[in-house]
Amino acid sequence: MGELSQAAGMPRGRRMGSGVVGVVDVGSNSVRLVLYEHACRAPTVLFNEKVLAALGEGLAETGRISDEAMERALAAIRRFMAIVKAASVQDVTIVATAAARDASNGPDFIREIEAISGIGVRVLDGSEEATMAANGVLCGFWRADGLVGDLGGGSLELIDLTEANLGAGESFPLGTLRLKGDAKNNLPRGVAILEETLGASRQLPLLAGRPFYAVGGTWRSLVRLHMAETDYPISIMHHYSVDAAEMSEFCARLLRDGLDTMSHAGVVSKGRRPLLPWGAAALQTIIRQGRPTSIVASALGVREGLLYSTLGEAEKRRDPLLLATEELALLRSRSPQHSAELVEWSGAVFRALGIEESEDEQRLRVAACLLSDIGWRAHPDYRGDQALAIVSNAALYGVDHAGRGFLALVLHDRYGGLADPSGQHSADILCSKALQERARFLAAAFRIAYVLSPGVPGILPRTRVEWDGKDFVLYLPRDLAAIEGERPLRRMRQFAKQIGGQGMIRIE
């Protein structure tokens, strides 16, 4: 333990940046603390805890936050601030949303939070809340374009989003707790309120023929239930996309038959269960009135939107997928420089073979190169499975599930081998046949690269490849001739077999 003690305060499994950033989100249903490793385009969570305080419960009837809910929230704030202090976090933002801004005793509640924390609370108005939710989607997606909806306990925000700009955010008193109270716990009455209120939206007509990005805990629970009911192969909810008609039918089934009739009702937490039908009713109304193409789940919302809003324009323009995979290469690979060299080398292989890449296909290839060595510490028999599990479940943003499946397949086959029967796994389901073929092709190229240069830089840039339609040739400089051997040649032949040619190595 001596070395570990000496290394205290110098964690090598973390990326050191501008310092830990904390956000306390005082919502109408939950109060949450999230600590992020540092402020960047692809935020990594160090700590995440929520308390279901239900501040918005009863607000429609009484106009105030109940004493019990307030005390639950303040107890959570006390604990959160103790954690912040213990972690020496200097940069903490506290935000409050609908319940705090609408309740008659909201100002008193805010003063109590400020007395406990010593931090001024930022109470977001409806338009600000919509903008921050949209910023969260911008943070979590690459070139998002659609309508963002953020469903909380007290309000529903809608805002149009394109890569170029944000629309004018709207806020409606249609949060799950608020709607349940206004409708006197009568779902048909709640649907009527939704229809009438959303009928006046200026943003919702902009949704037709575009994706709807669903933000908020209740909608996340609804999406998680849909994933479980359809036996979806991975559990990552972010960027899960469902055809709008399919989701509408799923919501209708939930409203008609009830949650208890669902085979996987247990995936919905006890605190979310009473609110799920209200979230389903809200989403079904949006689909009916807005006519989107798909429903896309976002794990990022107001908290990440706050973080994103603090970034400079250059950082905002960075690709979140490549940023996250660069960080994983830095933290997990033997040589980040070698991973970067693999980007250029694999690109040269593709060019030699005349393989064209779209912008998105190139992004995925680069990300795969950066991830290609993250499993090296595992036992050789398990590297493929471990790398696949990491990529299938990592907090990667800016990549859809087909792209995530592609990356998982590349890494599995890069470690597991082209003939490994376990290569037929759930990641296949996420990818088209064309993506599966591209993944296995790239993995075969990686298998050549890693017997030439075992995770060390400086070798790959000194090699080159040629393809004449018959022979696929790897050229080595004379001073590296000793690298030639049975294993590299076998890998070359395996690769060439995929393109209908012969693989060989020559010295020049």
Side-chain angles (χ1 to χ4, degrees):
M1 294 295 290
E3 289 185 13
L4 288 178
S5 299
Q6 292 171 11
M10 299 173 60
R12 294 178 184 177
R14 277 176 50 187
R15 174 75 180 268
M16 296 295 100
S18 55
V20 177
V21 179
V23 178
V24 177
D25 183 358
V26 184
S28 298
N29 192 39
S30 63
V31 179
R32 186 186 296 263
L33 168 66
V34 185
L35 300 181
Y36 301 95
E37 187 174 39
H38 61 114
C40 72
R41 181 69 171 80
T44 301
V45 173
L46 288 176
F47 181 86
N48 187 341
E49 181 174 301
K50 72 177 178 183
V51 172
L52 292 175
L55 293 172
E57 194 165 45
L59 188 61
E61 296 85 359
T62 67
R64 65 189 305 276
I65 300 170
S66 72
D67 293 341
E68 294 81 4
M70 190 180 296
E71 187 45 50
R72 282 195 299 270
L74 293 176
I77 298 293
R78 291 186 190 97
R79 169 173 160 75
F80 292 164
M81 297 317 298
I83 290 170
V84 164
K85 182 178 180 181
S88 301
V89 181
Q90 302 299 315
D91 187 350
V92 180
T93 300
I94 303 179
V95 294
T97 53
R101 70 174 176 252
D102 294 340
S104 60
N105 57 345
D108 293 335
F109 176 51
I110 296 300
R111 281 192 288 272
E112 290 271 12
I113 295 175
E114 291 176 339
I116 292 168
S117 65
I119 298 170
V121 177
R122 181 177 174 183
V123 181
L124 302 178
D125 63 31
S127 178
E128 289 176 317
E129 193 172 351
T131 297
M132 291 305 165
N135 278 337
V137 170
L138 283 172
C139 188
F141 292 81
W142 180 239
R143 298 179 175 172
D145 187 304
L147 193 77
V148 176
D150 183 4
L151 181 68
S155 63
L156 166 66
E157 281 70 44
L158 297 175
I159 183 168
D160 182 55
L161 168 66
T162 66
E163 188 181 356
N165 64 293
L166 303 180
E170 296 177 318
S171 183
F172 303 94
L174 298 174
T176 49
L177 291 171
R178 180 69 176 268
L179 181 62
K180 184 179 178 183
D182 285 344
K184 310 300 182 188
N185 203 26
N186 182 295
L187 263 172
R189 186 180 300 174
V191 171
I193 293 171
L194 284 161
E195 291 282 358
E196 180 181 0
T197 306
L198 290 176
S201 169
R202 298 182 303 277
Q203 297 288 291
L204 201 51
L206 303 174
L207 176 55
R210 302 166 70 205
F212 179 74
Y213 296 95
V215 178
T218 301
W219 279 341
R220 284 195 292 270
S221 294
L222 184 64
V223 166
R224 191 170 288 112
L225 178 62
H226 185 273
M227 295 171 74
E229 289 290 305
T230 55
D231 294 322
Y232 198 66
I234 62 174
S235 60
I236 291 291
M237 180 269 302
H238 183 71
H239 221 310
Y240 179 68
S241 180
V242 188
D243 179 80
E246 180 182 341
M247 182 54 83
S248 181
E249 174 54 36
F250 183 73
C251 291
R253 176 186 160 200
L254 176 64
L255 293 170
R256 181 183 65 245
D257 300 336
L259 177 60
D260 290 340
T261 66
M262 301 282 186
S263 302
H264 299 85
V267 302
V268 181
S269 68
K270 184 179 178 180
R272 291 287 182 191
R273 288 186 173 208
L275 303 178
L276 203 64
W278 302 91
L283 186 56
Q284 189 181 42
T285 303
I286 287 169
I287 293 171
R288 185 162 49 245
Q289 292 193 6
R291 296 177 291 113
T293 54
S294 58
I295 308 302
V296 184
S298 175
L300 279 62
V302 168
R303 293 177 295 275
E304 292 76 22
L306 283 164
L307 207 64
Y308 181 84
S309 68
T310 67
L311 302 177
E313 289 304 314
E315 181 70 14
K316 288 179 179 178
R317 287 193 295 271
R318 295 186 69 181
D319 186 326
L321 172 63
L322 300 188
L323 177 58
T325 50
E326 283 173 7
E327 291 193 347
L328 280 170
L330 181 66
L331 296 172
R332 289 180 174 265
S333 67
R334 285 169 289 185
S335 168
Q337 184 182 341
H338 177 267
S339 299
E341 289 177 356
L342 188 57
V343 172
E344 298 302 321
W345 188 84
S346 62
V349 170
F350 275 38
R351 289 190 297 274
L353 295 172
I355 299 175
E356 295 183 356
E357 294 180 289
S358 67
E359 181 183 9
D360 214 43
E361 288 167 343
Q362 184 181 58
R363 289 178 69 234
L364 290 174
R365 177 176 60 79
V366 172
C369 291
L370 296 171
L371 293 170
S372 63
D373 201 33
I374 63 173
W376 71 274
R377 282 189 179 274
H379 186 281
D381 292 347
Y382 299 101
R383 285 173 186 161
D385 290 339
Q386 184 189 75
L388 182 145
I390 291 171
V391 175
S392 296
N393 298 286
L396 297 176
Y397 304 119
V399 62
D400 62 14
H401 284 202
R404 187 183 286 271
F406 170 86
L407 295 174
L409 284 173
V410 172
L411 265 68
H412 180 274
D413 286 356
R414 167 263 192 274
Y415 284 115
L418 300 176
D420 186 346
S422 67
Q424 301 299 322
H425 45 67
S426 59
D428 281 331
I429 301 171
L430 302 174
C431 299
S432 66
K433 290 294 183 183
L435 264 184
Q436 290 177 36
E437 291 176 7
R438 185 174 287 260
R440 294 194 164 98
F441 188 82
L442 183 58
F446 285 0
R447 286 167 64 77
I448 296 170
Y450 275 97
V451 294
L452 296 175
S453 56
V456 296
I459 295 176
L460 287 180
R462 301 186 62 208
T463 70
R464 65 184 183 89
V465 294
E466 285 186 357
W467 165 246
D468 62 7
K470 179 182 176 183
D471 296 330
F472 181 64
V473 184
L474 171 71
Y475 289 93
L476 297 175
R478 191 158 300 278
D479 63 318
L480 292 179
I483 288 178
E484 182 185 11
E486 180 182 337
R487 199 175 184 203
L489 185 57
R490 185 169 67 248
R491 295 281 175 88
M492 283 292 295
R493 288 171 175 168
Q494 288 173 343
F495 183 91
K497 187 176 180 180
Q498 294 188 70
I499 55 177
Q502 298 294 318
M504 56 190 67
I505 300 175
R506 292 177 181 164
I507 309 302
E508 59 179 2

